[in-house]
């Protein structure tokens, strides 16, 4: 990266398609050979949202997401969309690593900071999530427990008032595989009603968003990633921060490849066309490469 400026095409094609662990190996080799930090080098040679994305993907994922959570929590008001996108799509291992990195980097407790910024149901939901105690995905799905949870969700939404605790407890504690089975079984036992529609009818605002993210991500994470990207780029102006978080968090997972298909099926437009329509230059090129669309 020294000399006559950065060759952005080479930088993008080399780093963006790689898994976070592979980039970490390159960063370690770079420091060993040149005595410099790869992220610092990139930061000095790039600008704007392109810089933000490239710096995001060369950092360890948990470390990067911990920093984004801190940015979202500090100052006047919290960035709910970033917080929900991270906490509601991370698995147990990633959540535990984020908590550790947050404490190491900032000398603070993520749980305490969330509780100082949120009250009520969102506070409880976030506290449940960051315990990282969801059932292991290796746990076999028990059909009897699936039916029991269908009934629990149904009773929690029945009548006057909603039992929010039951929704939060089940969505935060059951494995994604189990919740996918519950979502598939729900309309079979409850006259064609979809569990996602129940959440939409019973909850509003950011709590609705968070619960739906948890459910949709359990049914199919690729669908959730497509939804995140769509949410970031639809309407007037692009939410670049949310777009970068979604891509940096999921670009090296199978969910991103699934999201490409889900996006076109759901929104009638290719993800590549959507990104090209809302971004430009090296930022656009890096996004396309990260999403395996280049």
């Amino acid at each position: 990266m020294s000399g006559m400026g950065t060759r952005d095409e080479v930088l993008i094609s080399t780093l963006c398609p790689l898994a976070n662990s592979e980039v970490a190996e390159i960063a370690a080799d770079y420091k060993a050979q040149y005595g410099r930090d790869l992220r610092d080098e990139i930061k000095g040679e790039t600008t704007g949202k392109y810089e933000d994305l490239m710096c995001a993907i060369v950092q360890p994922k948990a470390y990067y997401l911990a920093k984004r959570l801190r940015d979202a929590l500090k100052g006047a008001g919290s960035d709910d969309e970033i917080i929900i996108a991270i906490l509601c799509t991370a698995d147990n291992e990633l959540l535990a690593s984020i908590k550790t990195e947050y404490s190491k980097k900032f000398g603070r407790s993520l749980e305490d900071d969330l509780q100082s910024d949120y009250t009520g149901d969102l506070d409880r939901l976030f506290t449940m999530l960051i315990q990282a105690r969801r059932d292991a995905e290796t746990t076999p799905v028990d059909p009897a427990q699936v039916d029991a949870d269908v009934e629990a969700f149904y009773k929690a939404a029945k009548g006057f008032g909603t039992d929010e605790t039951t929704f939060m407890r089940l969505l935060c504690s059951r494995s994604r595989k189990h919740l996918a089975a519950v979502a598939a079984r729900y309309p079979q036992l409850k006259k064609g009603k979809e569990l996602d529609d129940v959440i939409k009818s019973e909850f509003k605002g950011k709590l609705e968003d968070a619960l739906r993210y948890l459910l949709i991500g359990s049914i199919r994470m690729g669908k959730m990633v497509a939804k995140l990207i769509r949410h970031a780029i639809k309407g007037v102006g692009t939410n670049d921060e949310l777009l970068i978080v979604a891509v940096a968090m999921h670009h090296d997972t199978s969910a991103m490849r699934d999201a490409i298909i889900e996006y076109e099926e759901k929104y009638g437009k290719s993800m590549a066309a959507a990104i090209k329509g809302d971004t430009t230059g090296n930022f656009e090129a890096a996004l396309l490469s990260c999403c395996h669309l280049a």
Side-chain angles (χ1 to χ4, degrees), residues 194-223:
E194 297 288 345
L195 184 54
D196 186 42
D197 291 334
V198 175
I199 292 174
K200 286 192 284 187
S201 68
E202 296 294 324
F203 297 91
K204 301 299 178 187
K206 297 304 178 184
L207 183 60
E208 176 195 339
D209 291 341
L211 295 177
R212 292 190 67 215
Y213 278 25
L214 289 167
L215 179 63
I216 295 169
S218 296
I219 296 170
R220 193 176 301 117
M221 186 56 74
K223 184 176 182 179

Side-chain angles (χ1 to χ4, degrees), residues 30-180:
Y30 191 91
K31 181 172 283 189
Q33 292 186 41
Y34 301 105
R36 294 180 178 178
D37 185 86
L38 180 58
R39 177 185 175 274
D40 291 343
E41 294 281 86
I42 289 173
K43 191 172 181 65
E45 296 282 347
T46 57
T47 59
K49 298 306 173 185
Y50 170 47
E51 173 194 328
D52 293 342
L53 177 59
M54 296 304 296
C55 287
I57 66 170
V58 299
Q59 297 175 82
K61 189 176 294 187
Y63 178 83
Y64 164 71
L65 293 173
K67 289 203 301 181
R68 292 302 296 117
L69 284 170
R70 180 63 188 147
D71 290 341
L73 284 165
K74 69 183 181 182
S78 301
D79 191 333
D80 300 326
E81 291 183 333
I82 295 292
I83 294 167
I84 290 170
I86 295 173
L87 297 184
C88 293
T89 66
D91 60 19
N92 280 352
E93 182 180 2
L94 183 55
L95 282 169
S97 296
I98 290 169
K99 284 173 60 179
T100 299
E101 292 294 341
Y102 194 95
S103 178
K104 285 168 54 179
K105 172 69 176 175
F106 304 110
R108 308 169 64 94
S109 161
L110 176 58
E111 184 173 331
D112 289 347
D113 282 353
L114 285 165
Q115 289 176 349
S116 70
D117 271 40
Y118 289 96
T119 58
D121 290 331
L122 266 182
D123 169 31
R124 288 198 295 152
L125 179 69
F126 292 155
T127 299
M128 290 178 184
L129 280 172
I130 63 173
Q131 304 315 305
R133 301 286 293 176
R134 185 189 295 276
D135 294 339
E137 295 302 321
T138 54
T139 305
V141 174
D142 178 356
Q145 188 61 59
V146 168
D147 286 356
D149 284 352
V150 167
E151 195 61 31
F153 276 120
Y154 177 75
K155 288 181 178 179
K158 189 178 179 181
F160 295 101
T162 303
D163 178 2
E164 295 90 351
T165 300
T166 294
F167 275 85
M168 293 189 291
R169 176 176 58 81
L170 294 177
L171 288 170
C172 291
S173 65
R174 298 295 193 246
S175 72
R176 286 171 175 165
K177 186 167 59 174
H178 176 90
L179 288 171

